[in-house]
Amino acid sequence: MLQGHKKAASPLMVVVAYFIIYVVWGSTFFFIEKALHSFPPFILGSFRFVTASAILMSYCAIKGYKLFNKRSILEAAFVGFLLLFVDMAGVIWAEQYVSGGVAAIIAAAAAIWFILLDKPKWKENFSSVTTVAGVVLGFVGVVMLFAEQIMASNDNANGNLKIIALCILVLGSIAWTVGSLASKYFKKSEAQEKEDLHVMVKTAWQMVTAGVLFNITALFTGEYASFELSSVAPVDWFNLAYLITFGSILAFSSYIWLLQVRPAMEVSTYAYVNPIIALILSHFFTSHAVTSLQIVGLAVILFSVLLMNWKAYRTKLSTKNKNKKILQGGTLDTLPKHDDRQTTIDDLPEAELVH
């Protein structure tokens, strides 16, 4: 576990890593939409997560990480079911009917559910005017997206399916939140903490769970019965490979590394950039039209996320300024011993490390 100040890192590497989590993660919505031209949704999820889990598990084995612990695997399976199966299955299925840009905007609104469902923090969250305002504004942004799709459905035979897709995206976002919060509040004894698996191993087990469940679902829905490998366009093999290597492996690794060298709150800003990237790609490289209402809805939701995090940002800035003044006016011995502890990778639930 890293404590105190973050490790020194090459500025160039930091810039590259931020580019990856900002642009690559934002682009995954676009590449899912493209890959669906050849792959049925559950087969796409199966191929992606089975392959990604095999690569990540192999890497962990090479690194010498412990791979097996019954309790940790069960916890990872539960979280993987909610995050990488329920949520991602919803995203992949929904992108048959709505653009990747719209899916990314709904995903950004997950902050609403974190506020509403994190019961231990209700008193803290709902005592903040900015947090409550952010939640209300976030709902307004989501309603705007629903209104936009309803208006667009008047001239579209798939109108009802678009509305269903939006509902599934919202339900998937709630599942992501529940899984993340469950991971956050899993109770472990000191002995269990020592036996716990590395965060990357647990993430690999989450991907294994998702891959197995996507496979089973594809079998029961008949996708495999009608699917032929020869019918997959070469470009869509590239799209799948991109999702596996860049979306699930490279971006995740960059995120893990950034959490070790930069403040967690700074790293979390990817959530503001991803939907913008997704909307830009959707506008220029797909047949979906980006409407003014979608842009306004995105702006409203991102501003609502900012408001929901405003209290945390101010606290962080206040602590930083206080420590700066102490350094300027005193000695290192006068620095606070506990309040300036930085969040580290081991302090974060593994569920929040996967996109």
Side-chain angles (χ1 to χ4, degrees):
M1 181 181 293
L2 303 170
Q3 291 187 0
H5 297 285
K6 296 290 183 182
K7 290 180 179 178
S10 163
L12 177 60
M13 289 297 294
V14 170
V15 170
V16 170
Y18 270 115
F19 175 83
I20 290 171
I21 68 168
Y22 281 176
V23 177
V24 171
W25 266 350
S27 69
T28 54
F29 294 93
F30 166 79
F31 281 95
I32 287 172
E33 183 178 342
K34 286 297 185 181
L36 285 169
H37 291 161
S38 293
F39 293 97
F42 296 109
I43 289 180
L44 176 60
S46 173
F47 283 13
R48 176 183 179 181
F49 288 111
V50 167
T51 308
S53 64
I55 294 171
L56 190 57
M57 195 71 81
S58 299
Y59 170 80
C60 292
I62 292 171
K63 291 286 289 184
Y65 297 146
K66 180 181 177 181
L67 301 182
F68 299 98
N69 176 278
K70 184 178 178 180
R71 177 189 172 94
S72 297
I73 292 174
L74 289 175
E75 289 178 356
F78 175 72
V79 174
F81 166 72
L82 290 172
L83 269 69
L84 299 185
F85 178 65
V86 177
D87 181 51
M88 283 308 305
V91 169
I92 295 172
W93 185 89
E95 284 198 41
Q96 297 175 105
Y97 308 104
V98 299
S99 71
V102 171
I105 296 171
I106 294 293
I112 299 171
W113 310 115
F114 274 98
I115 299 297
L116 294 179
L117 299 178
D118 194 355
K119 187 175 180 180
K121 287 197 172 184
W122 276 358
K123 184 176 181 180
E124 177 185 342
N125 289 335
F126 292 109
S127 64
S128 168
V129 175
T130 54
T131 300
V132 174
V135 170
V136 173
L137 200 59
F139 273 114
V140 170
V142 172
V143 169
M144 289 174 69
L145 288 180
F146 270 83
E148 189 271 338
Q149 292 298 314
I150 290 171
M151 288 188 289
S153 68
N154 293 331
D155 303 318
N156 194 310
N158 288 330
N160 290 335
L161 286 173
K162 284 188 174 184
I163 304 304
I164 293 172
L166 282 181
C167 293
I168 287 176
L169 285 169
V170 171
L171 292 175
S173 184
I174 293 173
W176 174 281
T177 304
V178 172
S180 297
L181 291 174
S183 177
K184 178 180 178 179
Y185 291 116
F186 276 142
K187 300 296 183 183
K188 297 183 180 74
S189 66
E190 187 175 339
Q192 289 169 339
E193 287 284 358
K194 291 180 180 179
E195 292 295 319
D196 202 12
L197 300 177
H198 188 277
V199 63
M200 294 188 74
V201 178
K202 288 190 281 188
T203 301
W205 281 113
Q206 290 175 19
M207 291 183 181
V208 168
T209 302
V212 170
L213 291 174
F214 269 109
N215 240 321
I216 293 172
T217 307
L219 284 169
F220 276 95
T221 56
E223 287 186 356
Y224 276 118
S226 58
F227 177 68
E228 295 182 2
L229 288 174
S230 59
S231 66
V232 178
V235 68
D236 290 324
W237 282 117
F238 167 80
N239 293 331
L240 173 61
Y242 181 92
L243 289 170
I244 294 168
T245 56
F246 288 87
S248 295
I249 303 298
L250 181 62
F252 170 75
S253 300
S254 298
Y255 185 54
I256 292 291
W257 181 76
L258 277 173
L259 285 171
Q260 297 179 69
V261 300
R262 302 299 304 165
M265 188 167 290
E266 177 185 300
V267 179
S268 70
T269 55
Y270 78 86
Y272 296 96
V273 183
N274 284 177
I276 298 173
I277 297 297
L279 209 59
I280 290 172
L281 290 173
S282 181
H283 175 71
F284 288 105
F285 299 103
T286 74
S287 59
H288 292 284
V290 177
T291 67
S292 57
L293 196 55
Q294 286 178 13
I295 295 173
V296 173
L298 171 63
V300 169
I301 287 174
L302 292 186
F303 184 62
S304 76
V305 175
L306 176 63
L307 287 177
M308 283 182 267
N309 287 288
W310 187 252
K311 184 177 180 181
Y313 292 147
R314 288 189 62 184
T315 301
K316 184 74 175 178
L317 182 61
S318 175
T319 301
K320 185 176 180 181
N321 290 336
K322 184 187 296 183
N323 290 345
K324 186 177 180 181
K325 288 180 180 179
I326 293 173
L327 281 171
Q328 291 173 345
T331 66
L332 287 174
D333 293 335
T334 63
L335 283 171
K337 301 298 182 184
H338 301 287
D339 294 340
D340 63 343
R341 183 177 180 274
Q342 298 222 19
T343 302
T344 72
I345 183 174
D346 292 326
D347 298 320
L348 296 172
E350 66 274 7
E352 297 180 7
L353 305 180
V354 185
H355 188 272

